[in-house]
Amino acid sequence: MKLAFFVGDIIQSYESALIKSMQRITREKGYRVDIFANCCVPSGDYLHVEGLKKVFYISDLKKYDGIITADDTMHNFGINMDLRKHLAENADCPVVSIRNSVEGNYNVVIDDRYEIYRMTRHIIEHHGCKNIGFVTGTFELEDSSNRLSGFEDAMADAGLIVDEEDIFYGNYWIDQGDETADYFIRRSKGLPEAIICSNDYMAIALIEALRKRDINCPEDILITGLDNVQEAYENVPALSTIDFSEQNLIDAAVSIIEELKEGKEVEKTRVVKGKCVFRSSCGCTDVNHEIIHTYKIMKDIINEEHNNAIRCVNMNITFGSVLEEEECIRWALQILKKTKRYEHIYAVVRNHLRAEIKEIGNVTHLNEEADAVNVISENKENELDGKCNVFFPISCQDEMYGYFVIQLKDNTDRHFDEVMAQLLITVGNTFKKLEFLSYQGELKTIKKLYQQDSLTGLYNRRGFERKIRELYEEEDENLRVAISSIDADGLKHVNDTFGHLEGDKVITAIAESISESLDSGEFAARVGGDEFSAVIILRDGKDMYEFRERVYENVKKKSAEFTDYSLGVSVGVAEVKSHRGLIEGMQEADKDMYEQKVLHHSVRVD
């Protein structure tokens, strides 16, 4: 069976848990699951959202047996409303919406009204609170009114009156913490004894905003949430919340699709029960005990964030000098590979599968046509069967250049993080930069100036270093490489005697001699005035000293073209054991070159 799943910002813990639940479906039932997703959807950039949401429209919906949507994870700029219309017009199979009821779909909903009722009664009866505030979610979603009703029912059953000023109308996100705190502090009845929030993110933001105002939870006020996201458990104080198992939601949605496929009658709405989880933010557990436990968690988080920051900095350095789409794709796939979280990664750009990489393999460059039916290519479409495949857009502002298809690996705690979000943004921005330079007709010129020596046509130092990185990128265990250091003999004498134009002829002639000495896959650079370097591939038993003798021979032939003086070079060579040993290898090659210079090379003036 083939399933499609549409979800929003999947570096968030709830969305991440949904992904893992879908992966479990693939693992246990062998279904193909195609997940269309985004990372870090902005709340204030309409053009960027327009580009991101195009990933939802790349596949032919008619090839799926069922579609599941996490509708409430895509509320930025009404992405979910656009998706609803797209599914209604193009899907022939059942569409199941989880957690947020959508008219015309089958729905798996949580009994949030009842659970909010239970949480509110707990605050009233167990903690003796009567002055209680409530934070709603956005009323574009049905669950917001359900949760508010649960709160109002619990208050009414306890004989407590709810005034309009007891309610703050929120948006389900973290950006209103300060506004929410000030609202409740300034109301005529003063600060509530407790505040029930419609989800965890608003509750966590509120706790932090109140702390900045010297109001502490749970000492001064009790606060609860809903969703039981990972951040709720890691917060100090740990958040009392309501847990609805993501696996139960996904299992219920898949069951609806299976039953419909079997011809069974299925009710339009299926309800999943939850449970209240009482922690220290409502005073039910000891904060000090949680602090000790949370300290260990936070220490790991700090280390992870530090490592992620370094990875993002290195990523920006890498992509800052990229001047080709192929290079951009190659670096992106290498970064994804190094996470060791994915089995297989495909890069599709402008409707063509351009490259792929397996977990233990190297980047393979391709050019196979892709379309809505064969989203990677006709030759490889079957590689997606029986796998959990996540589709991410390569976009910048309102333009989508293509997408990555990532097959998830089992036994991984977290598949996606902020580094993934940064990578997607960086790749999209790089494509935009290259497109802009191409339109201006400047890309070829910039590439030439950036990595090519203008006099000799060899690589310059930057180009040489980039080629070496590419060489070691392949991680070929059988790769043997030597580095050569080459220096012109007596160039200063030529410049002083015959002028710098004549000296340039010497440099050019030596560069030609070096190029003629290279075998396939080898390359050279002019790294200084009269200094050259070359990389020699030691394949099929090749001796690195063969290259030196070949250069000497070619320089000797070129020397016959000069009448006033003869050409001479000194060539040093050294084997490089690994990319990390490159600097040491260069130093050894330099040492060998100077020994050669002392032995038998000098400029002879006729």
Side-chain angles (χ1 to χ4, degrees), residues 45-70:
D45 189 336
Y46 173 75
L47 279 180
H48 189 55
V49 172
E50 283 296 300
L52 290 177
K53 72 182 182 183
K54 289 179 181 177
V55 75
F56 296 145
Y57 310 125
I58 61 176
S59 186
D60 181 5
L61 299 180
K62 292 180 172 56
K63 69 182 179 183
Y64 295 108
D65 300 292
I67 296 170
I68 302 172
T69 71

Side-chain angles (χ1 to χ4, degrees), residues 345-496:
I345 308 159
Y346 307 85
V348 179
V349 179
R350 298 185 180 90
N351 297 323
H352 281 79
L353 173 61
R354 295 276 291 277
E356 64 176 342
I357 187 169
K358 295 182 180 180
E359 182 195 4
I360 59 173
N362 299 316
V363 176
T364 302
H365 291 282
L366 305 159
N367 190 26
E368 299 180 4
E369 188 174 359
D371 53 39
V373 176
N374 302 299
V375 288
I376 49 175
S377 74
E378 186 175 358
N379 291 335
K380 294 181 174 289
E381 181 72 15
N382 62 342
E383 294 182 6
L384 301 184
D385 292 341
K387 302 289 185 179
C388 190
N389 313 295
V390 184
F391 291 71
F392 286 115
I394 301 172
S395 65
C396 183
Q397 294 185 323
D398 59 341
E399 185 166 1
M400 190 177 84
Y401 299 99
Y403 46 90
F404 292 114
V405 186
I406 297 173
Q407 290 183 344
L408 302 185
K409 184 179 177 182
D410 285 337
N411 304 317
T412 299
D413 291 334
R414 190 179 185 191
H415 286 110
F416 307 109
D417 54 21
E418 293 79 6
V419 177
M420 179 63 162
Q422 179 66 47
L423 176 63
L424 293 172
I425 292 170
T426 301
V427 172
N429 289 347
T430 302
F431 269 79
K432 188 72 173 181
K433 175 189 73 175
L434 297 179
E435 182 182 60
F436 177 77
L437 291 174
S438 180
Y439 284 155
Q440 298 296 314
E442 297 175 356
L443 188 55
K444 289 184 178 180
T445 302
I446 291 173
K447 285 165 61 176
K448 184 175 180 180
L449 291 173
Y450 188 79
Q451 59 187 10
Q452 188 178 36
D453 177 55
S454 58
L455 177 62
T456 64
L458 298 178
Y459 287 109
N460 59 21
R461 186 181 293 276
R462 283 190 298 266
F464 189 61
E465 290 174 353
R466 286 158 65 90
K467 286 292 292 183
I468 291 174
R469 283 200 297 175
E470 290 176 18
L471 185 65
Y472 280 99
E473 232 177 67
E474 301 302 325
E475 299 180 5
D476 183 356
E477 293 180 356
N478 298 316
L479 178 69
R480 290 182 61 228
V481 170
I483 194 83
S484 177
S485 179
I486 306 160
D487 193 61
D489 291 335
L491 181 65
K492 183 178 186 303
H493 175 78
V494 174
N495 284 331
D496 292 346

Side-chain angles (χ1 to χ4, degrees), residues 165-335:
E165 69 172 351
D166 295 331
I167 301 170
F168 178 85
Y169 293 90
N171 64 357
Y172 278 141
W173 194 228
I174 61 174
D175 57 359
Q176 290 184 310
D178 290 328
E179 185 182 351
T180 310
D182 291 338
Y183 175 86
F184 284 113
I185 290 170
R186 294 168 183 169
R187 68 179 195 151
S188 62
K189 291 192 288 188
L191 188 71
E193 298 169 272
I195 298 175
I196 311 292
C197 296
S198 288
N199 80 349
D200 290 345
Y201 291 123
M202 294 189 298
I204 293 168
L206 177 58
I207 289 172
E208 180 59 29
L210 290 170
R211 181 184 291 121
K212 290 189 295 185
R213 293 156 176 79
D214 294 324
I215 299 170
N216 296 310
C217 173
E219 295 87 348
D220 304 316
I221 188 171
L222 309 183
I223 295 176
T224 70
L226 182 149
D227 283 336
N228 197 26
V229 298
Q230 184 67 24
E231 294 90 335
Y233 178 61
E234 296 168 350
N235 194 62
V236 178
L239 186 66
S240 294
T241 185
I242 300 166
D243 180 57
F244 293 94
S245 166
E246 292 84 5
Q247 189 63 59
N248 289 345
L249 291 169
I250 295 297
D251 286 345
V254 173
S255 293
I256 288 174
I257 295 169
E258 290 173 331
E259 291 168 20
L260 288 168
K261 193 173 180 63
E262 294 168 3
K264 297 179 180 179
E265 290 188 11
V266 177
E267 293 185 0
K268 277 290 186 179
T269 299
R270 189 164 294 183
V271 180
V272 173
K273 297 291 184 181
K275 64 178 181 180
C276 292
V277 180
F278 304 120
R279 299 188 180 118
S280 58
S281 74
C282 73
C284 280
T285 58
D286 180 27
V287 177
N288 292 327
H289 176 76
E290 289 181 345
I291 288 175
I292 295 172
H293 179 71
T294 303
Y295 171 77
K296 297 176 182 178
I297 296 174
M298 295 305 295
K299 187 176 180 181
D300 291 339
I301 292 174
I302 291 170
N303 288 336
E304 181 183 4
E305 289 183 348
H306 174 72
N307 292 334
N308 284 347
I310 292 174
R311 289 167 63 195
C312 287
V313 169
N314 290 336
M315 185 191 308
N316 287 330
I317 293 171
T318 296
F319 282 92
S321 59
V322 166
L323 292 173
E324 294 178 343
E325 283 188 2
E326 295 297 330
E327 184 182 14
C328 180
I329 294 169
R330 185 179 69 252
W331 281 119
L333 266 56
Q334 287 288 355
I335 290 170

